Amino acid sequence: MVKIKIRAVGKIKEPFIRDAIADYAKRIGSFCQLECNEYPEAPVPDDHPSTIEMAYITEGAKLCSGIEADDYVIALDRAGKQLSSESFADLIKRLEVEGPYQVIFIIGGPHGLSEGCSKRANVILSLSAMTFPHQLARLLLYEQIYRAFTIIKGLPYHR
């Protein structure tokens, strides 16, 4: 059974998004082991480029700490590769069958991902060409993970 970890910068503030994520996490739990780790946003006292760069470097170091060499890392970035739900399901199925048995999704903070996270990623994935708040991006990721498993298992959720 594949193990999925989601590592994300920031906390989910809106209760309705937290509730939706909890619902999808419960559903996903019948298909795989799922874990989510949240890391605090690095403070950015001003919008100076060097301060922003230090923030996402600090966040990136936390996001990537403890990742093993054989973990499969998928970083979310709007400039990444876009997949259909079916192609995403194919990727999850391949990882489930061939291993590694731990897949890690990385969601950066509001200023993006550090270069170190991008370099460590096996795949950089975009959920859309549109920009979403990080909280909604996390909800979309949970929904797409659930959808992938329903596609793999041939369940009627996906249409």
Side-chain angles (χ1 to χ4, degrees):
M1 177 182 277
V2 70
K3 182 174 185 177
I4 295 178
K5 288 186 177 183
I6 297 172
R7 294 174 169 218
V9 172
K11 291 200 174 287
I12 302 295
K13 297 173 185 144
E14 287 83 1
F16 66 94
I17 296 176
R18 277 196 315 263
D19 292 346
I21 287 173
D23 180 56
Y24 280 114
K26 183 178 177 182
R27 295 180 193 197
I28 293 165
S30 64
F31 301 113
C32 73
Q33 293 178 342
L34 178 68
E35 178 183 317
C36 182
N37 297 59
E38 294 179 332
Y39 301 90
E41 285 183 31
V44 180
D46 57 28
D47 280 337
H48 191 274
S50 65
T51 308
I52 292 170
E53 182 176 353
M54 285 305 301
Y56 72 72
I57 288 172
T58 301
E59 292 168 354
K62 291 176 186 175
L63 286 170
C64 290
S65 68
I67 293 177
E68 301 294 332
D70 61 346
D71 291 339
Y72 193 89
V73 178
I74 301 172
L76 297 186
D77 188 284
R78 69 178 179 175
K81 181 178 183 178
Q82 292 186 17
L83 298 176
S84 67
S85 294
E86 294 83 1
S87 295
F88 182 64
D90 288 342
L91 173 62
I92 297 296
K93 183 177 181 177
R94 181 176 57 83
L95 295 172
E96 188 174 33
V97 171
E98 298 173 6
Y101 297 104
Q102 184 159 277
V103 179
I104 299 176
F105 288 91
I106 295 177
I107 304 173
H111 302 292
L113 283 175
S114 69
E115 187 177 333
C117 284
S118 295
K119 285 183 177 178
R120 173 56 186 92
N122 297 86
V123 173
I124 300 176
L125 181 67
S126 172
L127 295 174
S128 171
M130 295 179 179
T131 303
F132 294 108
H134 284 34
Q135 297 180 27
L136 282 181
R138 197 177 325 173
L139 174 57
L140 289 171
L141 175 61
Y142 274 82
E143 192 280 335
Q144 285 299 300
I145 292 169
Y146 176 69
R147 182 176 299 273
F149 280 111
T150 63
I151 291 169
I152 292 165
K153 303 294 184 190
L155 298 174
Y157 178 81
H158 177 70
R159 303 190 201 277

